[in-house]
């Protein structure tokens, strides 16, 4: 009879572990629906079967389940750390991209300002004009009531003196304009960082005056002779004014054309830089939007992973709690029979021995600190 009891107890000594597995499986339905089957030998986290080396015991299975739970928790923790590292790296990348975007935006603005300067200076060059000198002798002479030069001023010396005065006024008039124009041209090219130099050639091919009358006396005795020479002087001044005006105007126009060509070359170069900067800006903005979307997706995945990880942290403790409950239930059942009044000494001995056996099992499975 004691032999039958020992046989039955030997079969029942692992039952509390199987009950714990069943109870744990029921709880697992609240997590991911994964189940651990009885008598299933699972080696490693992948649940691979090894028929040659595995020992099909309840204790072996529960230990493998605990190892699998530990490995799953460790793997999810590694996945969580990897996602957090990926998140941090992406956020740092976006910060770097943002700095690059800001620099590109500043570059585009700066290039746009440079282009505006070129365009403005080009229009400024068009506004540079050379004013033509207006020759006049009337303000140098005194006229009578008949609107004729008074007799005392009808002299060769007076006429030549007035000629030289007007000629000097004309040269001063153009020299003053050239100085202003030189300054405008120089400043315009300095604004675009040009090294262009403007040096006017100041040797216009002016003609000399050749009077028709007055070979002997200084005084014109005939009004007609004076008026004819007067017109010769005025015509000579006007002719020289035309010569000097065309002489300097051609130089100014040449300077303006050369300056505009250089400005256009620089404008084209800067505009190409601006186009490339804008393309890079748009490309980087698109990449930033994609990264932001990836971060949102990663944040969602990370949130769900953290939730799963926090839930998985409860699984090992849940398994230990269930094992303790089933162990207490099994031991309580046997102890009740152990202390039964009608139990024989042999039965008490058998129940005591198997209580010690499952106690050792529990110590190996759950840990000594619980017992």
């Amino acid at each position: 009879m004691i032999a039958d009891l020992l046989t039955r107890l030997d079969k029942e000594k692992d039952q509390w572990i199987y009950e714990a597995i069943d109870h744990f499986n029921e709880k697992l339905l609240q997590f991911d629906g994964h189940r651990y089957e009885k008598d299933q030998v699972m080696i490693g986290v992948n649940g691979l079967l090894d028929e040659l080396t595995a020992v099909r015991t309840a204790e072996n299975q529960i230990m493998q389940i605990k190892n699998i739970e530990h490995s799953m928790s460790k793997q999810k923790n590694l996945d969580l750390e990897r996602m957090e590292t990926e998140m941090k790296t992406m956020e740092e990348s976006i910060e770097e991209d943002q700095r690059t975007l800001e620099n590109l935006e500043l570059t585009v603005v700066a290039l746009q300002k440079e282009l505006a300067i070129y365009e403005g200076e080009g229009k400024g060059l068009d506004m540079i004009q050379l004013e033509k000198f207006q020759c006049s002798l009337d303000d140098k002479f005194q006229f009578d009531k008949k609107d004729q030069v008074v007799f005392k001023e009808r002299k060769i010396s007076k006429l030549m003196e007035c000629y030289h005065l007007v000629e000097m006024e004309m040269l001063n008039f153009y020299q003053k304009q050239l100085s202003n124009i030189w300054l405008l041209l120089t400043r315009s090219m300095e604004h675009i960082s040009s090294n262009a130099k403007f040096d006017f050639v100041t040797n216009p091919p002016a003609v000399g005056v050749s009077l028709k009358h007055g070979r002997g006396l200084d005084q014109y005795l005939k009004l007609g002779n004076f008026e004819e020479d007067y017109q010769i002087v005025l015509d000579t001044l006007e002719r020289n004014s035309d010569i000097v005006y065309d002489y300097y105007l051609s130089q100014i126009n040449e300077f303006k054309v050369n300056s505009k060509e250089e400005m256009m070359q620089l404008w084209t170069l800067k505009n190409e830089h601006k186009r490339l900067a804008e393309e890079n800006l748009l490309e980087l903005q698109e990449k930033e939007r994609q990264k932001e979307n990836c971060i949102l997706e990663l944040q969602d995945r990370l949130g769900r992973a953290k939730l799963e990880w926090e839930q998985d942290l409860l699984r090992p403790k849940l398994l230990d709690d269930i094992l303790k409950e089933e162990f207490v239930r099994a031991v309580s059942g046997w102890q009740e029979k152990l202390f039964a009044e009608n139990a024989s000494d042999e039965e008490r001995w058998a129940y005591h021995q198997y209580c010690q056996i499952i106690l050792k099992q529990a110590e190996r499975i759950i840990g000594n600190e619980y017992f």
Side-chain angles (χ1 to χ4, degrees):
M1 180 175 179
I2 189 64
D4 293 337
L5 176 60
L6 290 175
T7 301
R8 178 172 61 82
L9 289 176
D10 191 63
K11 292 180 179 180
E12 292 179 355
K13 68 179 176 63
D14 293 331
Q15 190 61 37
W16 72 278
I17 298 176
Y18 290 129
E19 293 293 336
I21 293 175
D22 286 341
H23 191 186
F24 186 57
N25 280 331
E26 292 174 3
K27 295 294 185 179
L28 288 183
L29 293 176
Q30 301 174 12
F31 292 91
D32 55 13
H34 176 73
R35 289 178 59 83
Y36 295 101
E37 301 296 337
K38 291 180 182 179
D39 300 325
Q40 178 185 17
V41 179
M42 294 165 290
I43 306 299
V45 297
N46 294 322
L48 300 177
L49 299 182
D50 189 344
E51 299 291 347
L52 296 177
T53 61
V55 180
R56 295 178 180 272
T57 66
E59 186 175 339
N60 191 9
Q61 288 189 63
I62 195 66
M63 292 303 295
Q64 290 180 15
I65 289 174
K66 289 173 70 71
N67 289 337
I68 289 172
E69 289 294 319
H70 175 73
S71 297
M72 289 172 58
S73 178
K74 183 178 179 180
Q75 182 60 47
K76 287 190 176 181
N77 187 57
L78 291 174
D79 292 340
L80 190 62
E81 291 178 354
R82 177 186 56 77
M83 283 191 285
E84 289 176 340
T85 301
E86 185 180 351
M87 172 76 77
K88 183 179 179 181
T89 301
M90 194 167 293
E91 288 174 346
E92 291 174 351
S93 175
I94 285 185
E95 290 178 0
E96 181 63 28
D97 288 347
Q98 188 60 41
R99 288 191 289 269
T100 304
L101 277 173
E102 291 174 358
N103 291 334
L104 274 175
E105 288 170 351
L106 291 175
T107 300
V108 171
V109 171
L111 288 171
Q112 185 59 53
K113 289 181 178 178
E114 288 190 59
L115 291 174
I117 290 174
Y118 297 147
E119 293 167 359
E121 293 300 333
K123 293 178 181 178
L125 289 176
D126 291 333
M127 297 176 64
I128 295 177
Q129 300 294 329
L130 182 66
E131 184 181 352
K132 189 174 183 181
F133 181 77
Q134 300 299 322
C135 298
S136 175
L137 289 174
D138 291 351
D139 59 341
K140 303 294 187 295
F141 290 90
Q142 183 179 355
F143 290 82
D144 57 20
K145 294 180 180 180
K146 295 181 180 181
D147 201 22
Q148 296 174 349
V149 176
V150 297
F151 179 76
K152 66 178 181 179
E153 293 188 355
R154 298 174 193 165
K155 295 180 179 181
I156 295 175
S157 58
K158 175 67 174 180
L159 189 58
M160 292 305 297
E161 178 186 356
C162 292
Y163 168 79
H164 290 302
L165 285 174
V166 174
E167 187 178 49
M168 185 60 66
E169 291 175 359
M170 177 183 65
L171 293 177
N172 290 337
F173 176 83
Y174 284 116
Q175 187 60 47
K176 184 178 181 180
Q177 286 194 85
L178 292 177
S179 296
N180 291 333
I181 291 173
W182 180 89
L183 187 60
L184 291 173
L185 289 171
T186 301
R187 287 179 176 175
S188 293
M189 300 312 290
E190 285 179 348
H191 286 164
I192 62 171
S193 301
S194 170
N195 295 321
K197 301 295 182 182
F198 304 99
D199 295 319
F200 288 100
V201 180
T202 56
N203 187 26
V207 298
V209 65
S210 179
L211 299 179
K212 187 176 181 180
H213 304 285
R215 294 286 186 267
L217 299 175
D218 186 37
Q219 183 74 45
Y220 285 96
L221 299 179
K222 292 183 179 181
L223 177 60
N225 290 345
F226 172 77
E227 291 179 343
E228 189 172 359
D229 279 357
Y230 182 95
Q231 189 62 46
I232 289 174
V233 169
L234 183 59
D235 290 343
T236 302
L237 287 171
E238 290 178 346
R239 182 182 176 187
N240 282 338
S241 180
D242 290 339
I243 291 173
V244 174
Y245 176 81
D246 292 338
Y247 179 79
Y248 289 124
L249 181 64
S250 63
Q251 294 185 61
I252 292 171
N253 287 337
E254 183 180 359
F255 290 152
K256 287 167 65 175
V257 168
N258 293 337
S259 298
K260 281 187 174 182
E261 287 180 355
E262 183 175 357
M263 283 186 183
M264 180 55 64
Q265 291 174 356
L266 291 172
W267 185 93
T268 302
L269 180 62
K270 294 293 183 179
N271 192 54
E272 178 64 15
H273 291 169
K274 176 174 171 286
R275 184 187 66 79
L276 293 175
E278 288 174 336
E279 287 182 357
N280 291 336
L281 184 62
L282 291 174
E283 182 179 351
L284 194 56
Q285 286 173 338
E286 178 60 27
K287 288 183 178 179
E288 188 180 33
R289 282 192 291 269
Q290 293 176 359
K291 287 183 179 180
E292 288 174 349
N293 291 333
C294 288
I295 282 185
L296 291 176
E297 294 177 2
L298 191 56
Q299 285 175 337
D300 181 62
R301 287 167 49 202
L302 187 58
R304 286 186 278 108
K306 283 183 177 180
L307 182 60
E308 292 177 4
W309 178 72
E310 290 172 355
Q311 291 177 339
D312 288 344
L313 288 178
L314 303 175
R315 291 168 61 122
K317 184 178 183 305
L318 174 63
L319 180 56
D320 283 343
D321 290 342
I322 291 174
L323 285 167
K324 285 188 287 184
E325 290 176 2
E326 295 300 331
F327 168 76
V328 170
R329 184 178 293 110
V331 170
S332 297
W334 284 353
Q335 285 181 343
E336 183 178 347
K337 295 177 181 179
L338 172 65
F339 296 114
E341 293 181 358
N342 58 349
S344 64
D345 291 339
E346 291 83 358
E347 290 176 334
R348 286 190 177 93
W349 176 84
Y351 285 122
H352 175 74
Q353 292 301 316
Y354 275 89
C355 281
Q356 292 301 311
I357 290 173
I358 65 173
L359 175 61
K360 295 299 182 182
Q361 280 184 325
E363 288 177 349
R364 289 192 295 271
I365 295 170
I366 304 174
N368 292 328
E369 65 271 15
Y370 294 108
F371 302 97

